[in-house]
Amino acid sequence: MGKIICVIGNKGGTGKTTISHMLAHGLGLFGMRAVAVLTDELRDKLSKVNRTYLPFDARSPDQLAVAAARLRATEGWIGVIDGGGNRPDIDRKLAAMSDLVLLPFRDSHEDMRTVSRDLAHFPQAWALPSQWPTNLWAANVATRSIDSQMAIHKDRILAPSYALSASKLLLMNEAPASLPRPLNNAAREIALQALELLGIPAPETTWLTPQARVAGDPRSAFGAMPGSVSAPSILHA
Ligand SMILES: Nc1ncnc2c1ncn2[C@@H]1O[C@H](COP(=O)(O)OP(=O)(O)OP(=O)(O)O)[C@@H](O)[C@H]1O
Ligand SMILES: [Mg+2]
């Protein structure tokens, strides 16, 4: 039986589509069979050219039902459903059909208030810091914002996905034939976290090199910085 992950949340622009594709890409890089499921009627389906995963068009309820049924029936496949902003009813349905619910949010009090409400709504969901600042000062401010705005949810916040301009390459209709290593590593990081939460054993991670590790980087309360890699970890207070 396959697994279904949904990336949802009430706020627009938090990075749902980007995270969905990075996660599917990261799973694909690990040799796993992943599908990025599009549900947002306002977006176009992307070509599968040069992708390590399969984009699937599920913009109609019928197509979504087909996608879910196929994923459920197929051992080893993982579907990543990309929600759309401001669709609470659809989010509820997507969460109900998913094994893992991810709620991206950015470094803003508005996003943090919204994701806090979503976390209360979806008790099984995890908040995923998205487009997170890489600048030391900004990262410290972001950490303080989490402390003040999301203290009661702190044990449900994952390690962040950092701001990475290369992430937009995955949202091109045809992805480039080769992608920058920082993007691949960031995609693997998201995939490892998702696999850990799904209880799926992590794949062979020989791509981890000692040089690439930035253990306990003081610039972030969450872990390593972009372009580096670390073991997946869930942020606990
Ligand atoms: N990690 C990142 N680094 C840099 N830019 C990012 C990152 N993630 C997303 N972005 C940018 O932020 C914008 C919004 O991202 P995205 O479309 O993924 O959000 P969304 O939540 O899917 O939006 P919507 O609610 O409209 O569906 C895009 O321009 C995207 O390129
Ligand atoms: Mg989107």
Side-chain angles (χ1 to χ4, degrees):
M1 188 160 137
K3 297 282 187 193
I4 298 178
I5 302 168
C6 70
V7 187
I8 58 174
N10 252 314
K11 187 91 175 72
T14 54
K16 295 177 290 297
T17 301
T18 305
I19 297 275
S20 302
H21 283 266
M22 287 176 72
L23 172 47
H25 178 59
L27 292 168
L29 288 174
F30 284 131
M32 306 181 85
R33 285 167 297 179
V35 184
V37 182
L38 169 70
T39 65
D40 189 343
E41 308 90 6
L42 302 177
R43 301 284 180 266
D44 296 321
K45 188 192 158 204
L46 303 179
S47 159
K48 67 178 180 202
V49 171
N50 291 331
R51 292 185 198 275
T52 60
Y53 58 96
L54 195 65
F56 188 90
D57 184 357
R59 284 174 290 182
S60 76
D62 287 351
Q63 289 166 309
L64 180 60
V66 167
R70 278 193 201 161
L71 284 164
R72 287 276 172 236
T74 320
E75 185 64 40
W77 281 80
I78 299 182
V80 185
I81 303 181
D82 172 20
N86 278 312
R87 303 192 307 173
D89 292 341
I90 295 178
D91 277 3
R92 260 194 297 279
K93 284 182 189 139
L94 296 180
M97 68 170 67
S98 297
D99 303 288
L100 173 62
V101 179
L102 299 177
L103 302 167
F105 69 100
R106 290 162 300 189
D107 166 29
S108 83
H109 282 204
E110 166 132 334
D111 275 31
M112 290 180 193
R113 281 193 298 269
T114 308
V115 79
S116 294
R117 276 198 298 274
D118 287 341
L119 282 166
H121 236 89
F122 300 112
Q124 82 279 38
W126 297 87
L128 176 53
S130 159
Q131 305 167 47
W132 214 244
T134 56
N135 164 279
L136 171 60
W137 183 84
N140 284 338
V141 172
T143 301
R144 282 203 295 278
S145 295
I146 286 202
D147 289 342
S148 69
Q149 302 296 308
M150 299 183 68
I152 59 165
H153 296 302
K154 200 145 185 200
D155 59 350
R156 295 171 65 194
I157 304 175
L158 300 175
S161 170
Y162 291 95
L164 189 62
S165 66
S167 62
K168 63 173 85 73
L169 297 174
L170 281 176
L171 303 193
M172 292 167 68
N173 179 38
E174 278 192 19
S178 84
L179 292 167
R181 187 187 299 181
L183 175 59
N184 288 338
N185 283 345
R188 289 180 176 109
E189 290 270 10
I190 299 173
L192 283 175
Q193 287 206 87
L195 290 171
E196 183 177 304
L197 293 170
L198 286 170
I200 297 174
E204 182 58 53
T205 52
T206 48
W207 51 279
L208 281 165
T209 62
Q211 295 84 352
R213 283 180 185 274
V214 186
D217 192 313
R219 287 174 295 178
S220 166
F222 302 96
M225 301 299 282
S228 62
V229 288
S230 62
S233 65
I234 295 162
L235 173 72
H236 290 291

